[in-house]
Amino acid sequence: RGVGQHPHRGFETVTIAFDGEVEHADSVGNRGVIKPGDCQWMTAGRGIIHQEFHSTEFSKRGGTFEMCQLWINLPKEHKMTAPKYMYQPIENKDVPSVDIPGGAGSVRVIAGSFGGTTGPASVHSPVELWDVTLPKEGAVADFPFPPEHNCVVFVRRGGVDVLTGQKGDELADPLGPQDVALMERLTGHTVRVRAAADNTSLLILGGMPLNEPIAARGPFVMNTPEELMQANMDYRSGNFGR
């Protein structure tokens, strides 16, 4: 099972494996397997044709399959860069883990910096991507965040209370599995959460706003409708992935 050949242009796909395995291949000759804990960071740039499917070994043995794919917009100046995999590869062993102060849990730093540790992903604009584990209910964790960046909290498993107020003890929103919180940049420089269940897992994501026009349709993310039309024409004429 999987997704057959499909095009991308103008952005990056970031695939994180939590359980299971995915094989991938593309039109510029890249091929590999994303295993638990790995992250694939693909720059589609001016155009790539991609496919992804359960790995042969995982298809044989079966089991839990949990993945997350994010799309990260490229700045206008990089939208037509050569397609490539920034997949160094970002394997589980290459992603540093940082303890959260106070013993609240840990952060796998995929992109950006946390606690003085920088993740392995190479990016085209400032981005944070943190895989957070909070083992015990009631644990309170602070995540310093650049005040000019957007920030999203996604709950993979368990739950958290987002805390606000001058003392950071006022409940703003309770979040359960698969809930998302879009943080306001006016709330300060720190995101504070309290685990509402044992074994809570979060993704905390963010980045510098590009403040550029967005024209998106299907697998293309550009700046103008005319660029979308050109992307469709290039794909249909066989000019992708070169």
Side-chain angles (χ1 to χ4, degrees), residues 41 128 207:
W41 200 293
E128 293 80 31

Side-chain angles (χ1 to χ4, degrees), residues 30 34 96:
N30 295 297
I34 312 169

Side-chain angles (χ1 to χ4, degrees), residues 82-101:
K84 60 184 177 181
Y85 274 88
M86 295 194 316
Y87 173 104
Q88 294 133 47
I90 304 179
E91 297 180 351
N92 186 29
K93 63 181 178 62
D94 298 321
V95 179
S97 181
V98 180
D99 290 335
I100 299 171

Side-chain angles (χ1 to χ4, degrees), residues 7 9 49 220 228-240:
R9 172 180 279 185
I49 299 173
F220 308 133
L228 284 180
M229 292 177 61
Q230 185 64 52
N232 273 290
M233 288 190 290
D234 289 346
Y235 172 59
R236 294 177 185 279
S237 62
N239 289 326
F240 261 37

Side-chain angles (χ1 to χ4, degrees), residues 65-85:
F65 185 84
E66 183 186 1
M67 302 259 170
C68 174
Q69 186 174 91
L70 310 168
W71 288 16
I72 298 179
N73 194 15
L74 283 170
K76 179 179 176 64
E77 63 180 316
H78 295 305
K79 282 191 176 293
M80 296 300 285
T81 191
K84 60 184 177 181
Y85 274 88

Side-chain angles (χ1 to χ4, degrees), residues 55-213:
S55 72
T56 302
E57 290 301 316
F58 180 75
S59 296
K60 290 178 180 178
R61 69 175 182 266
T64 301
F65 185 84
E66 183 186 1
M67 302 259 170
C68 174
Q69 186 174 91
L70 310 168
W71 288 16
I72 298 179
N73 194 15
L74 283 170
K76 179 179 176 64
E77 63 180 316
H78 295 305
K79 282 191 176 293
M80 296 300 285
T81 191
K84 60 184 177 181
Y85 274 88
M86 295 194 316
Y87 173 104
Q88 294 133 47
I90 304 179
E91 297 180 351
N92 186 29
K93 63 181 178 62
D94 298 321
V95 179
S97 181
V98 180
D99 290 335
I100 299 171
S106 61
V107 177
R108 295 178 69 242
V109 185
I110 299 171
S113 297
F114 179 83
T117 297
T118 299
S122 176
V123 298
H124 286 89
S125 62
V127 170
E128 293 80 31
L129 178 51
W130 304 336
D131 180 9
V132 178
T133 300
L134 305 175
K136 296 295 183 181
E137 180 181 358
V140 175
D142 288 335
F143 300 96
F145 221 77
E148 68 276 13
H149 285 202
N150 291 322
C151 177
V152 176
V153 178
F154 169 71
V155 181
R156 283 185 50 226
R157 182 175 61 242
V160 294
D161 299 324
V162 179
L163 302 177
T164 60
Q166 290 185 344
K167 297 182 179 180
D169 58 359
E170 299 177 16
L171 176 61
D173 286 293
L175 304 176
Q178 286 74 62
D179 281 347
V180 175
L182 306 178
M183 309 303 294
E184 293 184 5
R185 293 201 294 273
L186 298 178
T187 57
H189 301 178
T190 299
V191 176
R192 172 170 285 185
V193 301
R194 179 176 58 217
D198 289 347
N199 299 316
T200 288
S201 295
L202 312 174
L203 283 178
I204 297 182
L205 317 97
M208 174 77 76
L210 298 181
N211 296 319
E212 296 176 350

